[in-house]
Amino acid sequence: EQVPHDTTSFTQGLSYGNDGYIYETTGLRGKSKLLKIDPTTFEVINSVDIDDVYFGEGSTYYTDADGNDRLIYITWEEQTAFIYDPMTLTKLQTLSYTTTSPWNEGWGITFDSIEGEFIMSDGTST
């Protein structure tokens, strides 16, 4: 089944949360956002923009060490990540990270729940 999608949004991350919602992150400097989507109607339930200086990239839904559901959203060139409460899309934390030189980019991210760690792609082959 095909469903309508905002043609001005460039999907960078897509997660299915434990709460039954789809979480999409989009990327384009000045237009990056996080969306919470109802999977039965594909209606956007909530949406938040990130600051215009960031180019949003990948994201993943995860459960933190305290048992709280969270969503992490990384940026392309800024080496910055944002942690959100998926229920409200409230930004809880801003983090810095380092990836492989010389570009130091963030592309995609996932969470290994067995090891309790994030796995991140920076676009390099290593």
Side-chain angles (χ1 to χ4, degrees), residues 1 15 19 43 54-55 68 71 103 105 112 114 125-126:
E1 175 183 359
S15 295
D19 58 0
E43 175 189 355
Y54 298 106
F55 188 118
N68 301 304
L71 190 118
W103 297 286
E105 296 175 347
D112 180 339
I114 303 298
S125 61
T126 57

Side-chain angles (χ1 to χ4, degrees), residues 42-104:
F42 295 97
E43 175 189 355
V44 175
I45 303 298
N46 196 358
S47 174
V48 293
D49 297 332
I50 63 172
D51 193 291
D52 288 353
V53 301
Y54 298 106
F55 188 118
E57 280 286 344
S59 60
T60 194
Y61 190 102
Y62 70 101
T63 304
D64 71 12
D66 296 323
N68 301 304
D69 289 337
R70 297 288 182 246
L71 190 118
I72 186 169
Y73 184 6
I74 63 173
T75 59
W76 177 37
E77 297 176 314
E78 298 82 18
Q79 297 180 319
T80 303
F82 306 105
I83 307 291
Y84 290 89
D85 176 339
M87 183 177 292
T88 62
L89 298 191
T90 300
K91 184 172 26 171
L92 303 174
Q93 192 173 5
T94 301
L95 307 168
S96 295
Y97 59 83
T98 303
T99 57
T100 308
S101 293
W103 297 286
N104 300 310

Side-chain angles (χ1 to χ4, degrees), residues 107-124:
W107 285 29
I109 189 167
T110 191
F111 184 70
D112 180 339
S113 61
I114 303 298
E115 297 295 325
E117 63 188 17
F118 293 101
I119 301 166
M120 194 167 158
S121 167
D122 60 9
T124 63

